[in-house]
């Protein structure tokens, strides 16, 4: 939900919204989760969904898994 709503990687959002940064207030939005693993999915220049991965030792690893999954289906997203 977060990656799709903000049209951004949740790992990038986690960095941008750290305490003390100007965007930190967005962490108070209901249902927003600012940890790595979420990516928006785009096809033909439009956002068509999102993918979220959790369970690896870090948000960086979760995002790497999400990117690998998207890479595996990239050809099927091109329409």
């Amino acid at each position: 939900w977060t990656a799709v709503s903000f049209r951004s990687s949740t790992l990038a959002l986690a960095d941008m919204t750290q305490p003390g940064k100007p965007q930190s207030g967005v962490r108070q939005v209901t249902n927003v989760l600012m940890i790595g693993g979420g990516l928006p999915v785009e096809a033909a220049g439009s956002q068509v969904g999102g993918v979220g991965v959790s369970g690896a030792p870090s948000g960086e690893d979760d995002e790497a898994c999400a990117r690998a999954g998207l890479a595996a289906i990239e050809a099927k997203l091109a329409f």
Side-chain angles (χ1 to χ4, degrees):
W1 186 90
T2 304
V4 171
S5 297
F6 288 88
R7 298 177 181 264
S8 181
S9 148
T10 56
L11 187 62
L13 290 168
D15 181 55
M16 291 187 288
T17 61
Q18 289 296 311
K21 292 194 176 184
Q23 297 91 344
S24 65
V26 76
R27 287 176 174 251
Q28 305 307 313
V29 175
T30 302
N31 296 324
V32 170
L33 191 56
M34 300 297 185
I35 59 172
L39 295 171
V41 177
E42 295 183 1
S46 296
Q47 184 171 296
V48 296
V51 62
V53 174
S54 180
S58 70
E60 289 83 2
D61 291 340
D62 287 337
E63 182 163 314
C65 290
R67 287 191 186 283
L70 288 176
I73 62 165
E74 184 175 16
K76 295 179 180 183
L77 292 174
F79 56 86

